[in-house]
Amino acid sequence: MNYTKLIFLFLLGAFIFISSCSSDDDSCTETTWYEDADGDGLGNPDVSLTACDQPEDYVEDNTDTDDSGSSTSGGSTPLSAFDEFNPDAVTVSYDGDEITIESNGVPNHTSPYWEETNPLYIEPVVAVALTPGRIGGDRSFVLTVSSTPELATTSSATGLGAIGISVTGVPIFNDQEGNNRPIEELIIETFDYAGAHNGPSGYHYHIESSDVPENTTLSFDDEKLIGIMSDGFLIYGRREMDGSYPTDLDESGGHFGVTQHSDGEEFYHYHIINEYYLGTVIALFAVDLQGNPNAIM
Ligand SMILES: [Zn+2]
Ligand SMILES: [Zn+2]
């Protein structure tokens, strides 16, 4: 057999093979698939194709209003979490898909940072030295977030001042003191059992609370809600609701999962990262935010 004949027979075979395949395809059901460029499981109604099998990066859904790939949905924030906030200090209001958390920053637990005449004043049990100033003053923290906050493509560093609002109403600070000075031994000495001290802008939390009898409400090595960060994601204690330590946290201590508030629904939330700072304390949030930060006014 010469070479040309061989090629001809090969092409004929290939043709018969392809024809028989396409006649098989008549039995398949074609479906319309929509492009899911940002990988959130929702498809773009404007970009579609029809095929029997699901093409890569295409989904059956066609309800994505923003398929730009700039962000990913973090799921819905479970609203029952806001029942945990101290009602004497915090007001939560809802407007469409926005949640506004407003606090006067005044906690509902004991501290040596209260004026001695206050019923919640106690002698220091953890603090070795106190920073100047006492709890009180005319303070206000207002944070408005989406009820379905999104994960940004790039994370954001936190700054000085409030980066979140805790369940007691006290603002959450990062691991920096004024002038971007990281928390050091001298500063740790000033924290009360709640992990807070007083600063020029008032009483604020930096670290996880201490396991002392005086501490009856705050999270210590457990699954309790800590508060809400400025990007709208909730932050919980070091453990999951089943008592285990989460093993799939990202660099910010966040992951998708269920909590005691979410009724089985997975959503993105942070945990306090189970790592000691200077060997003795655990920072509440010493990492970047994974969502888009909102101003705490
Ligand atoms: Zn401070
Ligand atoms: Zn979790």
Side-chain angles (χ1 to χ4, degrees):
M1 201 180 293
N2 68 34
Y3 186 68
T4 317
K5 256 186 181 164
L6 194 68
I7 293 282
F8 174 74
L9 284 173
F10 174 76
L11 287 175
L12 185 70
F15 176 75
I16 291 165
F17 181 72
I18 289 166
S19 310
S20 67
C21 276
S22 51
S23 61
D24 276 349
D25 280 353
D26 291 345
S27 65
C28 97
T29 315
E30 287 203 325
T31 307
T32 304
W33 302 95
Y34 300 90
E35 189 182 30
D36 178 21
D38 58 7
D40 62 359
L42 305 177
N44 182 348
D46 299 329
V47 184
S48 67
L49 53 77
T50 52
C52 296
D53 298 314
Q54 182 172 10
E56 205 174 326
D57 299 326
Y58 280 74
V59 292
E60 259 183 286
D61 178 273
N62 66 348
T63 62
D64 200 348
T65 49
D66 176 17
D67 197 38
S68 61
S70 61
S71 53
T72 311
S73 172
S76 292
T77 302
L79 300 186
S80 68
F82 295 102
D83 296 345
E84 308 257 0
F85 282 67
N86 168 16
D88 295 332
V90 182
T91 311
V92 182
S93 49
Y94 308 92
D95 181 15
D97 61 353
E98 284 192 337
I99 306 170
T100 297
I101 301 102
E102 199 165 353
S103 174
N104 63 10
V106 177
N108 50 356
H109 57 72
T110 56
S111 170
Y113 281 101
W114 285 103
E115 296 287 353
E116 289 186 30
T117 52
N118 192 289
L120 291 174
Y121 170 82
I122 55 164
E123 295 277 331
V125 289
V126 173
V128 175
L130 298 187
T131 50
R134 293 292 169 262
I135 294 170
D138 196 11
R139 296 203 294 165
S140 153
F141 302 92
V142 182
L143 169 63
T144 298
V145 299
S146 166
S147 60
T148 54
E150 295 194 324
L151 289 159
T153 37
T154 51
S155 61
S156 304
T158 58
L160 294 176
I163 62 169
I165 297 175
S166 76
V167 288
T168 66
V170 172
I172 297 169
F173 278 36
N174 64 15
D175 63 333
Q176 308 281 312
E177 200 50 23
N179 303 322
N180 282 319
R181 188 160 60 115
I183 289 171
E184 53 190 54
E185 294 290 356
L186 228 58
I187 297 169
I188 288 174
E189 288 186 350
T190 68
F191 293 136
D192 61 10
Y193 76 72
H197 63 182
N198 211 68
S201 65
Y203 186 74
H204 55 269
Y205 296 142
H206 283 281
I207 60 169
E208 189 191 52
S209 69
S210 301
D211 184 24
V212 293
E214 287 80 1
N215 183 4
T216 54
T217 57
L218 297 165
S219 170
F220 173 81
D221 193 19
D222 59 24
E223 78 299 339
K224 283 184 191 166
L225 182 66
I226 306 297
I228 185 164
M229 302 307 296
S230 67
D231 58 3
F233 293 119
L234 298 175
I235 178 168
Y236 288 86
R238 283 188 261 160
R239 294 179 192 256
E240 297 277 52
M241 59 186 283
D242 66 2
S244 66
Y245 292 111
T247 54
D248 60 346
L249 297 181
D250 60 28
E251 63 206 22
S252 297
H255 71 163
F256 280 89
V258 300
T259 73
Q260 58 271 36
H261 303 112
S262 72
D263 200 20
E265 291 290 319
E266 293 211 342
F267 71 107
Y268 185 87
H269 56 272
Y270 298 114
H271 285 273
I272 296 177
I273 296 177
N274 189 27
E275 267 169 27
Y276 280 87
Y277 194 94
L278 290 178
T280 55
V281 297
I282 290 191
L284 286 182
F285 199 86
V287 285
D288 284 359
L289 292 162
Q290 292 297 320
N292 300 303
N294 301 284
I296 299 180
M297 320 272 266

